[in-house]
Amino acid sequence: EVTRMDMHVHSKYSTNPSQWVLKKLGCSESYTEPGFIYKRLKEKGMDLVTITDHDRIQACLDIAHLPGTFISQEATAVFPEDGCKIHILTYNINEELYSEIQYLKSDIYALARYLDKNRIAHAVAHPFFSVNGKLDYQHFEKLLLLFKTFECNGAREESLNSGLRFILNHLCPK
């Protein structure tokens, strides 16, 4: 049986966008109410609903009383050696885990160990998108060693998704 859900959705609580143009205009990433997201996703046939706002879980808490919901977030993790920021989607967490993730996200290596140790479902969000302009191939290579799951993002250009799939399908131990 297939379970349907959208694993990367933002609400009005994603107030700190990554895209330079939204920052320049002083816009949020989204203005959508959590209740509207829930209703729309259920209308579209989703079995489960979660919201992955940037470094916040308030939207998930707003809809937590509704059936088929769980708490998630998109954590902004940092390579401590140079400040390169990466988005890591973390799923099915609680408020205590959220607090720990917030504490650890300043060191992507510590965060990766914590997520694995605590068996928290997670994925690298849009792995070719440079959150703060510092992402390069060396960071991507480190991501390949740190994480097992990478998001193919429907909001990004398909060539990025097909390129990611090609790389992931052709990895070797070297």
Side-chain angles (χ1 to χ4, degrees):
E1 187 175 317
V2 174
T3 300
R4 291 178 41 110
M5 67 186 93
D6 189 328
M7 301 290 287
H8 192 160
V9 180
H10 295 289
S11 79
K12 69 179 186 178
Y13 294 108
S14 280
T15 57
N16 189 17
S18 302
Q19 294 90 347
W20 68 269
V21 70
L22 294 179
K23 285 182 181 185
K24 240 354 175 185
L25 295 171
C27 294
S28 288
E29 180 122 359
S30 175
Y31 292 94
T32 311
E33 293 289 336
F36 179 82
I37 291 170
Y38 179 85
K39 180 180 176 214
R40 179 59 63 140
L41 290 176
K42 288 305 232 176
E43 289 170 355
K44 295 283 185 185
M46 302 297 157
D47 301 301
L48 300 174
V49 175
T50 194
I51 300 173
T52 51
D53 284 321
H54 293 285
D55 303 303
R56 302 198 53 196
I57 59 169
Q58 187 58 50
C60 291
L61 297 176
D62 287 358
I63 62 170
H65 64 285
L66 298 170
T69 62
F70 59 98
I71 299 172
S72 302
Q73 71 156 329
E74 184 175 12
T76 305
V78 180
F79 282 96
E81 64 271 23
D82 62 9
C84 178
K85 294 181 179 179
I86 302 292
H87 286 155
I88 307 296
L89 298 158
T90 60
Y91 301 111
N92 200 26
I93 59 175
N94 57 36
E95 291 178 76
E96 182 182 329
L97 293 171
Y98 164 76
S99 293
E100 194 64 28
I101 290 166
Q102 290 305 105
Y103 175 74
L104 293 170
K105 70 181 187 172
S106 63
D107 181 343
I108 196 167
Y109 306 107
L111 178 61
R113 285 191 301 273
Y114 178 80
L115 296 172
D116 283 341
K117 179 182 174 193
N118 290 281
R119 304 182 67 153
I120 297 169
H122 59 281
V124 177
H126 41 71
F128 293 142
F129 175 72
S130 185
V131 175
N132 63 347
K134 295 185 176 190
L135 179 69
D136 63 22
Y137 77 91
Q138 292 170 328
H139 295 106
F140 182 73
E141 288 178 343
K142 290 175 187 178
L143 292 172
L144 291 172
L145 296 172
L146 289 168
F147 299 99
K148 294 180 180 85
T149 306
F150 292 76
E151 174 197 47
C152 284
N153 188 302
R156 304 286 173 200
E157 193 174 314
E158 179 51 34
S159 63
L160 295 176
N161 290 331
S162 59
L164 176 63
R165 281 191 291 273
F166 179 85
I167 291 168
L168 295 176
N169 288 331
H170 291 86
L171 289 177
C172 65
K174 185 178 177 185

